[in-house]
Amino acid sequence: MGYTMIRKYFYYYILFCFLTTGPLWATSTGLNNIPTADVVPENVLVYQFISDMANNNKPDYVTGFKYGLMKNVEIGLDGRIFPEKAKQENLVVQGKLRFELTDFLAIAGGITNLGDRSRAGKEFPFGVLSQDFGFLRGHFGGSIQNNNEGFFGGIDKTLKFLNRDLTLRSDIIQTNDQHETTTSAGFIYDLGHNFLVESWMSFPTESGKEDVLTIKLNYVIKF
């Protein structure tokens, strides 16, 4: 099977996932389930479509964006594309400030889930450190989310696949007031023409929580 045919079927797979699944809410730049010290570059807009394959309800389409407001400052928001008439739809906001300590080390602080608590949950203030070790990058941080304080960490590695950047990513985060964890493994891949696709599996230890396959499609606009 040729390179062009592989990419064609990959696009069909992504489209199928978005038409048959439900949502996962947009977050600040990060790995799978955790933020990192990375931010969107200045004057770059990342438009996002998000879906969560563990949701057994009827499809609920979500769109959002992240924007590099200025150097080392990222903001973003998201909301349903077609909100249900019976529900009042509120946007969810996030922001992050980054400090570059060296060429290989950065720290950042921010907050996510500002807005509709019934949809996004409690606000999630966080601090995180990211270190480039050359052979991979490591990330470690924590949150002081009300009644759910905890730590998180992760690693990522970028390599070439079909002549485009493929970043493999894995992370772990404490949940349920540090009594449980959620681990994940996934990737982000450059589809070309300013499109990126992200996908990962999440494995929560909390009783009653399902494993989740997440798909996120990004379109990057540079001003």
Side-chain angles (χ1 to χ4, degrees):
M1 184 179 295
Y3 167 75
T4 302
M5 188 63 67
I6 292 174
R7 292 190 64 186
K8 179 180 178 181
Y9 282 116
F10 191 58
Y11 290 142
Y12 287 160
Y13 168 73
I14 297 301
L15 179 61
F16 171 78
C17 289
F18 275 100
L19 293 178
T20 58
T21 60
L24 183 75
W25 311 118
T27 59
S28 61
T29 299
L31 298 185
N32 304 323
N33 295 316
I34 71 168
T36 65
D38 302 322
V39 294
V40 176
E42 184 177 7
N43 295 326
V44 171
L45 177 72
V46 182
Y47 197 70
Q48 301 179 302
F49 299 88
I50 308 105
S51 192
D52 175 2
M53 292 188 71
N55 192 330
N56 293 318
N57 298 324
K58 69 176 184 178
D60 190 4
Y61 303 101
V62 175
T63 185
F65 74 85
K66 300 181 291 187
Y67 179 64
L69 183 64
M70 59 185 69
K71 184 178 180 181
N72 293 324
V73 177
E74 173 185 292
I75 59 171
L77 59 81
D78 73 84
R80 289 185 181 93
I81 301 175
F82 305 110
E84 297 179 23
K85 293 183 179 180
K87 296 182 179 180
Q88 181 180 0
E89 179 60 22
N90 294 317
L91 296 176
V92 176
V93 180
Q94 64 90 3
K96 184 194 296 187
L97 176 62
R98 178 178 187 267
F99 300 93
E100 188 172 328
L101 304 180
T102 72
D103 290 341
F104 308 100
L105 179 66
I107 60 173
I111 189 168
T112 65
N113 293 359
L114 283 172
D116 186 357
R117 284 193 172 191
S118 65
R119 181 161 65 86
K122 296 178 180 178
E123 292 86 355
F124 186 85
F126 65 86
V128 60
L129 180 148
S130 295
Q131 171 77 53
D132 188 346
F133 296 101
F135 61 97
L136 58 75
R137 296 198 311 155
H139 314 272
F140 180 78
S143 171
I144 54 172
Q145 186 180 40
N146 188 30
N147 295 324
N148 194 35
E149 298 85 357
F151 296 97
F152 54 79
I155 56 174
D156 67 320
K157 172 66 176 179
T158 300
L159 46 84
K160 291 292 183 181
F161 178 71
L162 298 178
N163 298 318
R164 296 191 182 277
D165 285 343
L166 169 68
T167 301
L168 304 177
R169 312 188 296 185
S170 181
D171 57 42
I172 182 170
I173 184 170
Q174 291 183 311
T175 59
N176 193 23
D177 203 17
Q178 300 186 31
H179 293 102
E180 308 289 346
T181 61
T182 295
T183 57
S184 73
F187 68 88
I188 180 169
Y189 183 62
D190 181 2
L191 297 175
H193 305 289
N194 297 329
F195 282 99
L196 302 168
V197 64
E198 303 178 45
S199 183
W200 66 88
M201 281 292 302
S202 299
F203 307 97
T205 60
E206 187 174 350
S207 177
K209 294 287 187 179
E210 299 180 71
D211 295 344
V212 179
L213 174 61
T214 300
I215 301 288
K216 182 186 292 188
L217 185 64
N218 305 298
Y219 182 67
V220 181
I221 304 172
K222 299 179 181 180
F223 295 97

